[in-house]
Amino acid sequence: MKPLQSKKILIGVTGSIAAYKVCHLVRLLVKEGAEVRVIMTASARDFVTPLTLSTLSKNPVLGSFFEDRETGVWNNHVELGLWADILLIAPATAHTLAKCANGICDDLLQAVYLSMRSGVYFAPAMDLDMLQHPATQANLDRIRSFGNRVINPGYGELASGLTGAGRMAEPEEILQVLTVHFSARPEAAGKKVLITAGPTQEDLDPVRFISNHSSGKMGYALAKAFSNAGCEVTVIAGPVKLAAPEVSEFVPVRSAREMYEATVSRFEKFDLIIFAAAVADYAPAHKAPEKIKKDGDTLSLDLVKTIDIAATIGRSRLSHQLLMGFALETQHELENAKAKLAKKNFDFVVLNSLKDAGAGFGHETNKIRVIDREQNVTTFDLKPKNEVANDLLEIILNKWQKEQQFS
């Protein structure tokens, strides 16, 4: 299930030119399966129409306490505060920040804010001098002290024509913040996770190396899933064409030897180690000091076996640690995966086959089977790698949850 699926998100829109960004944000949230309702202040309606946000959210836009003064139909701020899983005030103007910081309750949005029992996020938007003013900074500090969270504004060209900090965070950034918020899991609190990812490169000479087709996408997706869940994640990655993941520690390496040293020197402090890297099994016995010249029709290379990182740690693992490895097979898949599970002392092995369309190296998708110590096999359909990562996350979280119940 997507983290935002069925979540109730209340958005408070205030009077800023950045209000136009909320239209895109609402679309993104609805697409993720969230139920969105919008409250607009009177000044917000000068920048975007209630009809637009009502159409996008698929819910009536709220603006005042009374829907109809003649009949007494009104918008109950207490019920709205209880309904919402989260209140996001975006854009949050300097005026709104000041009112929230000081408990001024003069409209529906302020009444809902004061009634909220769950999380509140602010996405400030204003000119750079207004943002930097000591009064605004004091209000932001006060708002944070109440337990609210602030999504820091970005740097760039502002409506005034000046350039600096003050732009409301982009909708995609806000979506990511809310995704992380709803992805946090109590089972993951305090857990430390080490993930290896990507290929290794074994040098033949200063120009050439031996490697494989691993893209690192699966390992990076796992890093994101476990980090979003609230784990402290370290990634040790070989060379890939991906932006480094946002984790507690990122360690770039090239060779199998470098990955071995980085992993073995760290593994004892982790609760879970996931071996998602495609580490070279063999490396050149000697690296030529100069470029090897083309001479003759054939070239013979002496290769030596690299140190098996997973097997080394499997022999040295601590009692509380969980180990998960990957097995990419082309024949006798299940038999080979079960043998790897036992040989390397894993708790789980994730099997995928190059015979399955859309699985394996380079794809945005993967199709896996997971085998545990008891030889139970769980089969999953072909999915995007981020969803595969979430499936594996659930397996580990369920394991930790059971351990906590019996500890």
Side-chain angles (χ1 to χ4, degrees), residues 34-258:
E35 185 176 347
V36 180
R37 300 189 72 177
V38 177
I39 299 174
M40 298 181 70
T41 64
S43 57
R45 296 171 182 241
D46 293 331
F47 297 94
V48 64
T49 69
L51 177 60
T52 299
L53 291 173
S54 175
T55 302
L56 294 172
S57 67
K58 300 178 174 61
N59 280 306
V61 168
L62 310 177
S64 62
F65 287 102
F66 290 98
E67 292 292 339
D68 189 332
R69 291 182 179 273
E70 295 296 325
T71 62
V73 176
W74 68 300
N75 295 311
N76 189 323
H77 57 283
V78 175
E79 288 183 359
L80 286 167
L82 292 172
W83 172 84
D85 293 313
I86 201 167
L87 169 63
L88 167 68
I89 300 181
T93 61
H95 180 64
T96 298
L97 292 175
K99 291 201 294 183
C100 291
N102 292 282
I104 297 173
C105 185
D106 61 354
D107 62 18
L108 179 61
L109 177 57
Q110 295 301 317
V112 171
Y113 164 69
L114 292 174
S115 301
M116 285 295 298
R117 292 187 180 180
S118 52
V120 180
Y121 281 80
F122 290 82
M126 64 198 74
D127 207 63
L128 73 166
D129 295 312
M130 297 173 69
L131 178 64
Q132 293 170 358
H133 195 282
T136 303
Q137 290 300 310
N139 287 333
L140 286 168
D141 289 340
R142 188 169 172 80
I143 282 169
R144 290 188 182 99
S145 74
F146 298 153
N148 304 315
R149 302 180 188 181
V150 176
I151 304 173
N152 291 327
Y155 183 96
E157 184 178 353
L158 306 171
S160 65
L162 299 175
T163 299
R167 291 171 59 95
M168 189 180 95
E170 296 303 318
E172 290 80 5
E173 297 175 66
I174 296 174
L175 178 69
Q176 177 61 20
V177 169
L178 298 185
T179 299
V180 170
H181 173 89
F182 287 112
S183 298
R185 301 284 293 272
E187 308 94 313
K191 296 295 187 181
K192 297 183 178 181
V193 179
L194 175 63
I195 301 172
T196 66
T200 62
Q201 296 177 351
E202 314 304 324
D203 288 331
L204 291 169
D205 60 26
V207 177
R208 306 178 182 90
F209 56 80
I210 298 173
S211 190
N212 57 61
H213 296 295
S214 174
S215 65
K217 292 176 181 177
M218 191 68 252
Y220 279 40
L222 284 164
K224 183 177 180 180
F226 278 88
S227 183
N228 286 352
C231 297
E232 182 180 323
V233 177
T234 291
V235 173
I236 300 173
V240 296
K241 296 178 181 179
L242 301 171
E246 295 182 8
V247 292
S248 301
E249 182 185 23
F250 179 74
V251 184
V253 297
R254 282 194 69 245
S255 67
R257 166 60 66 173
E258 290 175 359

Side-chain angles (χ1 to χ4, degrees), residues 1-9 28-36 85 175 178-179 182-183 387:
M1 180 183 291
K2 295 180 179 180
L4 293 172
Q5 184 73 41
S6 302
K7 298 302 181 183
K8 297 177 175 64
I9 300 177
L28 292 175
L29 291 170
V30 170
K31 187 176 180 180
E32 290 298 307
E35 185 176 347
V36 180
D85 293 313
L175 178 69
L178 298 185
T179 299
F182 287 112
S183 298
E387 294 184 19

